Amino acid sequence: MSESVPEPQDGTEAAPAYDPAAPAPLNVPRTPTGNAEVDARLARLGDADHLATDGHVEVYEDVHRGLRDALTALDARPGPPVPPPPYPASRTSHQSRS
């Protein structure tokens, strides 16, 4: 009695072994944010769907770098001017009269 797996007799080949590193779409929905730069970075995540898992890191790092740059640009953008105080501080009310 042999413990080896029998060969298929009908000429068909055995199903290929499962390869967890093979490309497989994640089908994760990406909702638009309304910011074109951010949306372009998020769309780039779809590129990982067509890569083996060892290629995902490059895509994720690129997207992370782009999102970080977009946030940094928000900090660098000047905001509205700060309004002056409504009333000048009165120095006479705080000084004692001698």
Side-chain angles (χ1 to χ4, degrees):
M1 184 177 230
S2 172
E3 292 189 29
S4 65
V5 176
E7 294 288 325
Q9 298 298 324
D10 61 358
T12 61
E13 294 183 22
Y18 172 71
D19 181 4
L26 297 175
N27 297 320
V28 175
R30 289 177 283 281
T31 305
T33 65
N35 181 302
E37 184 178 0
V38 171
D39 290 342
R41 291 297 173 179
L42 294 177
R44 169 99 167 89
L45 288 173
D47 294 346
D49 287 348
H50 309 289
L51 299 172
T53 53
D54 60 351
H56 290 191
V57 172
E58 181 180 341
V59 173
Y60 296 155
E61 286 178 347
D62 180 50
V63 170
H64 181 258
R65 185 173 31 259
L67 292 173
R68 187 180 59 232
D69 291 348
L71 286 172
T72 300
L74 290 174
D75 288 340
R77 197 177 302 163
V82 176
Y87 303 104
S90 172
R91 300 184 89 199
T92 56
S93 63
H94 296 291
Q95 296 174 345
S96 62
R97 295 185 180 193
S98 336

